[in-house]
Amino acid sequence: MPQMPPSRRSVLTGFGSLAATAGLGSAASGCAAPSAAGAGRTRLRFWHLYGGGDGVTMQAMLDAFRAGHPGVGLESATLQWGPAYYTKLGMAGAGGRAPEVAALHLSRLPGFAPGRLLDPFDLDLLARHGVRPEHFPEAIWRRGASGGAQYAIPFDTHPFVLFYNTEVCAKAGLLDGNSPGKREEDGEKGQGKRGAKGRSGGKARLRPLAGVGEFTRALRAAREATGHPGLVIETLGNDTVGPWRLFATFYAQAGGTVLDPTATRVTLDDAKALRVLEWMRSLVEDGHAPRRVDYTGAVSRFNNGDSAFLITGEWEVSTYLTTELPFSMTRIPNLFGRPSAFADCHTFVLPHQADRGGASNEAAHRFVAWMLRHSTDWAAGGHVPAYRPVLSEPAYLELHPQSEYRSVVDDVALDPPAWFAGSASAMQIELGAALSGVLTGSRSPRDGLDEVRKRLRDLLATPDPFGGRA
């Protein structure tokens, strides 16, 4: 028997501290969508949080779906990114009056009480439209399941990657001169039409960098070539999450975990965590990275052309393709033993409806399958399609540099499956603040680790507003 959805009051209690950081009112004011379902058309409402370049791309995809499906009245609503979006979506599911389909970060799934705030997908219905479980990386697909049902269908993965300035790297002798035209992965065709606006590196490729020692030598060579720090990373800022994502990348490479599989116990490994934190601290102490840079500053400093490397999310590819910066991208090097990189995934979910079913539910499944099959367009913004058949399509392989780090789809390090984790979550903000001090010098690595452990325990002690997973 389906579980009853929580009350609106319990939803507001659970999301309240997050909503306060972004403003629930602003989310509510942006949720109304004009009616697009005329007589004889099936109504299909889609809520999402895509702005900027992603928003432009999404709108084009939605227009293409409308053109090809005149019998479906697709209404889309773009809500404010972050806590406000999740508050609004949770309230809609709690009331059973939600849209037919919505976007959700995969890492936020446990906090949406699958079976209460979300309805499961009909996998047979998806299969009729050409989408099956075997089309996705197993680990990502598995994270979308709960209680034997599938509640989230992965659209992409958006990982931390290594941006590199090809001119600076050439001066520093860091490009792969042994095979001048060699592509990082088989099947790539050269600079595609999506990269034509920028100077995205041509055939210049960064030589493989493995291990802390080799990466450090590359940073030193870059500094000697330019007189500037070789690496830019986000170290501080209001609600900064960059330090957490940086740590999560390399701690996962070291084989460490943060919480146990049930997300009820802290499992931090002191030796592995301190090894990573001490290396992170050395980046600024040894002059390889600026000490005090917020997110916007990191993006801008790399665009100045003085630094060899930037570690950030692949979504910034759109920024650099519109400038004259000579750059390319690759996976974050394996420095600590495993080729992992922090990531999250955009997914499609079915918010709970008291009367879900019929033509509108079928249209929701058809819409999700269509978006997956056409996700080459979505990949132009840097995201790696989760629907594997797209990864071998010539149109995707011609995207440069977006297709060059596609193999990371099998090595993503997601936040632990806790209701308080994930994108725009309390955990990322809390731990980002704790680790920011390690980079800026206000905390030692030991103090930073102790503070991370304390904040994790505080989060674990906070009652789950939905009373545990379905």
Side-chain angles (χ1 to χ4, degrees):
M1 179 180 295
Q3 300 187 52
M4 292 294 292
S7 68
R8 287 176 179 267
R9 181 178 299 275
S10 69
V11 172
L12 283 172
T13 299
F15 288 104
S17 62
L18 294 179
T21 68
L24 175 58
S26 59
S29 66
C31 69
S35 177
R41 294 204 295 170
T42 300
R43 189 185 194 193
L44 176 62
R45 294 164 294 175
F46 173 49
W47 285 8
H48 66 85
L49 69 177
Y50 303 121
D54 280 351
V56 173
T57 301
M58 177 55 64
Q59 188 57 55
M61 294 180 72
L62 297 178
D63 289 344
F65 177 86
R66 290 185 181 102
H69 300 81
V72 177
L74 173 62
E75 307 167 14
S76 65
T78 307
L79 307 188
Q80 181 180 339
W81 193 95
Y85 174 79
Y86 287 116
T87 301
K88 181 64 181 176
L89 186 60
M91 290 178 64
R97 296 185 295 273
E100 282 69 39
V101 64
L104 184 87
H105 285 95
L106 183 58
S107 59
R108 295 300 297 259
L109 184 65
F112 269 76
R116 301 180 188 178
L117 299 183
L118 301 176
D119 295 330
F121 278 89
D122 183 333
L123 296 187
D124 290 336
L125 190 52
L126 276 180
R128 285 182 222 164
H129 294 290
V131 174
R132 298 177 177 80
E134 59 267 26
H135 291 149
F136 301 86
E138 182 180 357
I140 292 175
W141 178 263
R142 191 167 58 245
R143 279 290 294 265
S146 179
Q150 195 71 26
Y151 287 93
I153 305 299
F155 188 29
D156 65 36
T157 186
H158 40 286
F160 254 31
V161 296
L162 186 70
F163 288 79
Y164 61 98
N165 183 308
T166 53
E167 288 185 359
V168 171
C169 287
K171 287 181 183 177
L174 300 176
L175 299 185
D176 189 350
N178 294 327
S179 304
K182 179 182 177 182
R183 304 300 300 226
E184 182 178 312
E185 301 186 49
D186 291 341
E188 298 177 10
K189 306 291 186 180
Q191 182 167 323
K193 61 181 178 179
R194 301 287 184 176
K197 291 183 181 179
R199 298 168 60 201
S200 51
K203 292 185 177 181
R205 294 293 169 265
L206 184 71
R207 72 167 185 245
L209 301 173
V212 169
E214 190 167 351
F215 189 63
T216 301
R217 286 190 291 274
L219 295 179
R220 187 176 299 116
R223 182 173 183 125
E224 291 172 355
T226 67
H228 297 275
L231 173 67
V232 181
I233 52 176
E234 175 191 0
T235 66
L236 51 76
N238 294 330
D239 293 337
T240 182
V241 297
W244 160 251
R245 292 173 172 178
L246 188 70
F247 171 78
T249 291
F250 294 110
Y251 181 59
Q253 288 190 359
T257 60
V258 176
L259 301 177
D260 72 337
T262 65
T264 58
R265 182 173 59 86
V266 177
T267 57
L268 283 168
D269 184 305
D270 281 19
K272 293 175 180 176
L274 285 173
R275 182 182 173 208
V276 170
L277 288 173
E278 287 165 358
W279 174 75
M280 288 171 54
R281 179 64 167 270
S282 75
L283 291 174
V284 293
E285 292 291 338
D286 296 344
H288 296 309
R291 186 182 297 274
R292 301 183 65 82
V293 186
D294 64 10
Y295 182 91
T296 302
V299 173
S300 296
R301 286 188 71 137
F302 185 68
N303 194 52
N304 288 340
D306 298 326
S307 301
F309 303 111
L310 168 69
I311 294 179
T312 193
E314 39 70 25
W315 49 86
E316 290 298 343
V317 66
S318 298
T319 298
Y320 301 122
L321 285 175
T322 60
T323 72
E324 288 300 308
L325 184 74
F327 82 102
S328 193
M329 301 159 69
T330 188
R331 295 181 55 164
I332 290 180
N334 177 4
L335 304 187
F336 291 93
R338 302 183 183 188
S340 301
F342 170 86
D344 207 337
C345 304
H346 294 120
T347 72
F348 294 103
V349 295
L350 305 177
H352 174 64
Q353 291 183 331
D355 57 350
R356 178 173 290 280
S360 63
N361 187 53
E362 192 281 334
H365 285 70
R366 188 191 324 167
F367 169 75
V368 169
W370 187 94
M371 295 292 282
L372 292 167
R373 294 197 309 272
H374 293 81
S375 53
T376 291
D377 292 335
W378 186 242
H383 309 317
V384 181
Y387 184 63
R388 280 194 184 278
V390 168
L391 297 181
S392 58
E393 291 180 355
Y396 173 70
L397 295 174
E398 289 172 2
L399 289 177
H400 176 70
Q402 294 94 327
S403 66
E404 299 200 17
Y405 45 87
R406 66 187 183 274
S407 61
V408 76
V409 74
D410 292 311
D411 297 304
V412 296
L414 301 173
D415 270 359
W419 70 267
F420 50 76
S423 292
S425 69
M427 190 191 86
Q428 287 200 7
I429 294 170
E430 289 282 330
L431 303 191
L435 294 175
S436 173
V438 176
L439 293 168
T440 62
S442 63
R443 296 183 192 273
S444 69
R446 177 78 259 178
D447 289 343
L449 179 58
D450 290 344
E451 184 64 18
V452 165
R453 180 176 279 106
K454 175 184 179 299
R455 295 191 184 199
L456 282 171
R457 286 173 175 165
D458 289 345
L459 289 168
L460 286 172
T462 304
D464 179 346
F466 310 118
R469 285 181 258 178

